[in-house]
Amino acid sequence: MSPIGARRKVEAVSEVATVDDEKLTSSDSTGEELGRVDERYLSFTIDLGQIAEPTRFWNPDGSGETIGRPTFDFANPRLRHMAAALAPAYLRIGGTEADRVIYSLEGTPPEQPPPPFKSVLTAAHVDALGEFALTTGLHVAFAVNAGWGARSAGGAWVSGMSRALMRYTARHGYPFTVWELGNEPNAWPLFQAQLLVQPEQYARDLRELAAARDAELPAARIAGPCTAYWPTIGEVPALQLRLPPRAVSNYLPRVLRAARAHVVPDVVTWHYYPGLSTRSALAKHRPLLSTVAIAVAVAVVTLCLTRKLLSLSLRTVFGLLGLVLAVASVAVAVNYIVRPVLANGPNSLRDPAVLDTAGHWAEQVRSEVMRLPKQPMLWLGETGSAQVGGEPGLSGRWATALWWLDQLGLLAQLGHAVQCRQTLSGADYGLIDDSTFVPTPDYWASVLWKRLMGTIVLRASLAGAPSTLRVYAHRGVSSTARTTFLLINLGNEEIRVNPPAYGAVDVWRLEGQRFDSPTCTINGRLATLNADGTVPELPPVREAHPTVAADSAMFVRV
C-alpha cells in the first residue's frame, strides 16, 4: 500500500461557524438541533460465536471460520480498562451463532450440544459476561435464540429457554436491558439450515418476546427485526434454496406493518457493512463467475455460428442461447451485488459515495419507522468495516478510522439513537487487536468521539468546502456544554479553517501515517495506553486557525 499523498494547504472558502446566543450559525446553516442520540450511541458487540462453546468465529489469519478457540476472556484486566473507557455503552451479544445455541444454566452442561443446536451457553459464560458488564459500566443487549431449536412444530417461536435466561440474569442483577429476537431473520434460510420465517410470523413472535419480558424483566426493552442490508441492494431478500426456491422481500417493512396488530418493538434494528471481506466465499468466487460466464457465452455463440456444421436443431440453439442468458445474468447480478470492500483499492472507504450509501439505507429504514404510530428507538444494531470478519490488512488499521467516524456522524443526523460496532475484540474488524490487546485506530477514534461529542446533534457545514471535507457538530445537554465540531478530510489537501468568533479553540487531531498502519497519533503523539492498560487523558492543543491535514480527522471544541 502506498503512503498517504502529499498534504498541500488550501484555504477554506468560508468559516466553520459562529455561535450566537447558544445557537450554532454559519453562512449556510442555522445550526438547529436535529435530534438527540442516546448516551450509549457509540456501542459495540461481542459475537456469541466468541463465547458459547465450541466457539465458532472468523480466524484472525484471514482464512475463514475457525472452531474451538478458547471462549472470550472477559476477565482480562486490560480489556476491561479499554471497554470501561467507552462506557456508557451497550454491549450487544448476537451474530449467527445466536440462533444455534442452547442455554444450559443449571446442572452439568452437555458435552456436545444436542441437535439442532451447535453450541452451548453455560451459566459460567453468562456470569463472566454479566460481571464484565457490571465492572465496566455497560448494558447488555442480548439476541435470544429464535432458530430451529426454539420453534414449535407449527413454526411459532417458543420463549421457554429465553425466559429461563431472563430469570437468571435478573436473579444475579446483571444489566441485560435489551432483548433482541434472533439475528438477521432474512438471512436464516442461508445460515440456519433453510429456516424461513415469514415476517408476519416474526411479528407474532415479537408479541411472545414482549410477554416474556413483561413477566421476567418488565423494565427491559425488546428489539427487532435486525435484518441485514447490503450496500448495493439494501435489505437482503430471505432466499430459500429448495425446489421450488422461495424468496421473501421487504422483510423489515412487513414486520413493522404486522407488528401494529401485536407489539411494536421498543427498538427497531438493522445491520449494515460497506462491503465484503476477501475471506468471504462470494468475494473469492466473484472473478471466477465472470470468467465462467464469458467462457460459456463464447462457447455457445461459437456453436450457434457453426450450427450447420454441427447439425444442431433450432430448438437446441435456442436452448443454448437461453443458457448463455441465464449464466450471464447470474454473473452480472453477482458482480453488481457482491462488492468487496477493496473494490476500488485500499482507499475505498474514503470515497464519499461509499460513505453516503450508509445514509441512503439508513434514511429508508428511518422512513419505515416514522410510519409507526408509536416511535421506537432506531439502532444500527451491527456494523463493521467489512463483512465476514473484516478485511485483512485493512480493517483494524488507519484505513478504516475515518469511515467509522463518518458513519457515526452521518447516522446521528438521521435519527439513529445507537450504533453497535462489530466487535470489541475479534477477527480483523475489532476495536482491539485480538492477539495483542492493543487498541486499533478505530478504538482511538471511538474514545475521542465518546469524550468530545455530546448527545445533541446539530446541523453543521462548511460553506464552499470540497465534498471530501465532512463536517458534523454535537453539543452536550448541560447549560454550560460547548459545541464540538468533527471535521473529516478525505482528500489529499490540507484545509485551513478560520473560526473568527472564538479566538483560540481546543483541537484534537487524529492522524495516521499509512493506510495499513495499525497505529495513529493524537495531536502528533502516538496514541498508547498507560502502563496499567488504562486510557490516558488526551489534552487538546489551543489554536486560532487550525488546519485539517489530508486524510485525517480533527475535533474542534468552541
Side-chain angles (χ1 to χ4, degrees), residues 89-400:
Y90 288 102
L91 172 57
R92 182 199 178 241
I93 307 297
T96 302
E97 199 64 23
D99 297 304
R100 299 171 175 169
V101 65
I102 186 172
Y103 311 147
S104 179
L105 305 176
E106 296 181 0
T108 303
E111 291 186 7
Q112 296 293 329
F117 302 103
K118 299 291 187 182
S119 58
V120 180
L121 184 74
T122 67
H125 295 138
V126 178
D127 290 340
L129 168 60
E131 291 293 340
F132 179 80
L134 287 171
T135 302
T136 55
L138 304 174
H139 283 194
V140 177
F142 193 91
V144 298
N145 189 335
W148 283 111
R151 293 197 172 270
S152 68
W157 181 66
V158 179
S159 64
M161 188 167 66
S162 295
R163 286 174 184 254
L165 179 59
M166 290 179 180
R167 284 194 295 272
Y168 187 90
T169 61
R171 185 164 68 248
H172 289 81
Y174 299 143
F176 283 55
T177 58
V178 178
W179 297 86
E180 190 172 28
L181 185 60
N183 181 80
E184 298 181 357
N186 56 331
W188 283 346
L190 298 178
F191 301 114
Q192 303 298 337
Q194 295 293 314
L195 174 63
L196 179 60
V197 174
Q198 294 292 331
E200 292 71 24
Q201 177 60 53
Y202 186 94
R204 292 190 288 272
D205 296 338
L206 278 172
R207 179 178 60 189
E208 178 61 22
L209 178 60
R213 181 271 315 272
D214 292 344
E216 310 297 345
L217 285 167
R221 296 187 176 104
I222 63 168
C226 52
T227 51
Y229 276 67
W230 205 272
T232 47
I233 62 172
E235 189 180 61
V236 179
L239 181 62
Q240 191 178 55
L241 299 177
R242 291 177 176 173
L243 293 176
R246 291 194 296 168
V248 176
S249 58
N250 298 316
Y251 205 100
L252 183 146
R254 286 176 58 182
V255 167
L256 297 185
R257 284 197 296 269
R260 296 183 183 189
H262 302 289
V263 172
V264 174
D266 303 302
V267 179
V268 171
T269 65
W270 65 293
H271 297 174
Y272 175 81
Y273 292 78
L276 271 172
S277 163
T278 52
R279 64 157 58 88
S280 161
L282 277 176
K284 288 177 180 177
H285 297 152
R286 184 174 181 256
L288 177 62
L289 285 172
S290 299
T291 302
V292 169
I294 294 171
V296 170
V298 169
V300 173
V301 169
T302 301
L303 284 172
C304 293
L305 291 175
T306 59
R307 181 176 67 86
K308 291 183 180 179
L309 178 63
L310 299 175
S311 301
L312 295 176
S313 67
L314 284 174
R315 183 176 181 179
T316 302
V317 170
F318 286 131
L320 290 171
L321 288 174
L323 177 63
V324 170
L325 182 61
V327 173
S329 298
V330 170
V332 169
V334 169
N335 273 281
Y336 172 72
I337 294 172
V338 178
R339 187 174 75 183
V341 76
L342 285 176
N344 297 318
N347 62 345
S348 292
L349 293 181
R350 297 287 199 273
D351 184 344
V354 172
L355 299 177
D356 287 339
T357 301
H360 172 75
W361 300 121
E363 187 57 48
Q364 185 182 90
V365 177
R366 184 189 187 191
S367 67
E368 295 295 337
V369 172
M370 295 296 287
R371 292 190 176 99
L372 295 170
K374 171 191 172 184
Q375 294 296 305
M377 296 176 70
L378 178 56
W379 287 21
L380 183 60
E382 183 181 312
T383 188
S385 50
Q387 288 173 313
V388 193
E391 179 59 40
L394 184 80
S395 299
R397 309 297 179 97
W398 174 247
T400 59

Side-chain angles (χ1 to χ4, degrees), residues 21-57:
D21 294 331
E22 297 184 352
K23 286 190 175 182
L24 180 66
T25 62
S26 76
S27 60
D28 61 348
S29 63
T30 61
E32 74 269 18
E33 181 179 326
L34 295 176
R36 301 193 179 195
V37 296
D38 193 281
E39 66 172 347
R40 298 178 177 85
Y41 175 65
L42 194 162
S43 292
F44 46 88
T45 75
I46 296 174
D47 199 286
L48 193 60
Q50 299 174 263
I51 304 170
E53 295 180 282
T55 60
R56 185 180 284 102
F57 199 54

Side-chain angles (χ1 to χ4, degrees), residues 22 36 454-456 475-483:
E22 297 184 352
R36 301 193 179 195
T455 57
I456 298 177
R475 188 176 65 232
V477 296
S478 71
S479 59
T480 59
R482 294 188 291 168
T483 297

